[in-house]
Amino acid sequence: MAKRVFFSFHYKDVIDFRANVVRNHWLTKPDREICGYYDASIWESAQKQGDIALKRLINAGLEQTSNTCVLIGSETHLRPWVRYELLKSFKRGNHIFGVHINSIKSKDGTTRVNGPSPLEYVGVSFSDSGLTATLWEKKNNKWIEYDKIDGLASYRTEVAVPQQYRGQGYNLGRFYTVYDWIADNGFNTFAKWVT
């Protein structure tokens, strides 16, 4: 059965066409089951709304999803809403994976060097007991607590995290895989990336 995937991306990559190549590749296949996903993105309806309205849209978009795919362009790692989507996805337990999209030709036929992974700019630390997690983001080469989800950076975990992660912090890139749409044949293998 196809899974619901939330796509996180920098809106500029939609304008350049790259994000839509990934999000809409199912259109060229016989049905969505073969692709293995349904797109649960919300940005077409977001437009220019306030922070509270955007958070509500993102939170509603994440409902009923089990995967979050961050489409990585040149500046995706800098986007505050991408960081919110990734950390909210982590907190709710979604499987997260990244896909570099700069290797896809833009509408003007050009490609770019891969941009930095946003998963390297958001992170989590765990208490010594393993019962509390604290969310972090990297700004100006410095890790700071991320309190933009429910106004708190720290939250109680449902179960204690394994011993090897306790008392330490990690960027999310440690836990999740990043692919390249072209080099890793995303058109044919995307369904395998979705768990």
Side-chain angles (χ1 to χ4, degrees):
M1 178 180 214
K3 308 276 179 127
R4 290 183 55 85
V5 177
F6 183 89
F7 286 94
S8 179
F9 52 88
H10 181 1
Y11 200 76
K12 183 176 184 283
D13 293 318
V14 172
I15 295 167
D16 285 346
F17 187 66
R18 292 180 174 99
N20 287 338
V21 168
V22 178
R23 291 178 55 224
N24 295 326
H25 83 277
W26 69 270
L27 293 169
T28 61
K29 300 202 177 188
D31 61 46
R32 286 182 186 241
E33 290 295 323
I34 290 171
C35 289
Y37 79 97
Y38 289 94
D39 183 354
S41 299
I42 50 86
W43 286 111
E44 283 76 10
S45 60
Q47 299 302 321
K48 297 257 182 199
Q49 299 188 34
D51 287 358
I52 293 172
L54 282 172
K55 283 183 181 181
R56 285 185 186 139
L57 272 171
I58 292 166
N59 295 345
L62 282 166
E63 288 299 318
Q64 308 299 315
T65 66
S66 56
N67 287 260
T68 297
C69 173
V70 60
L71 303 177
I72 305 169
S74 299
E75 299 175 1
T76 311
H77 69 291
L78 299 172
R79 307 309 302 160
W81 291 113
V82 167
R83 292 176 179 207
Y84 178 87
E85 291 162 346
L86 290 174
L87 289 170
K88 183 74 174 184
S89 294
F90 177 81
K91 185 175 178 183
R92 70 185 308 275
N94 275 23
H95 167 69
I96 301 171
F97 61 100
V99 178
H100 283 290
I101 60 173
N102 278 353
S103 56
I104 299 170
K105 289 184 180 176
S106 68
K107 61 185 174 183
D108 64 5
T110 61
T111 60
R112 295 184 180 163
V113 173
N114 283 346
S117 171
L119 296 170
E120 303 294 327
Y121 290 81
V122 291
V124 62
S125 62
F126 300 105
S127 64
D128 290 336
S129 69
L131 294 172
T132 303
T134 303
L135 302 175
W136 299 83
E137 72 174 323
K138 192 174 187 178
K139 281 189 167 181
N140 301 319
N141 275 342
K142 185 177 179 185
W143 287 97
I144 58 172
E145 287 189 6
Y146 188 87
D147 63 358
K148 294 169 183 68
I149 299 173
D150 305 323
L152 301 169
S154 296
Y155 64 96
R156 193 128 172 99
T157 59
E158 291 184 24
V159 295
V161 299
Q163 186 68 41
Q164 73 257 30
Y165 299 117
R166 296 179 186 183
Q168 299 180 61
Y170 307 92
N171 66 52
L172 295 190
R174 175 172 173 119
F175 302 118
Y176 301 109
T177 304
V178 174
Y179 304 94
D180 183 282
W181 183 257
I182 300 298
D184 294 317
N185 192 15
F187 182 81
N188 291 312
T189 57
F190 187 86
K192 294 176 184 169
W193 304 341
V194 176
T195 64

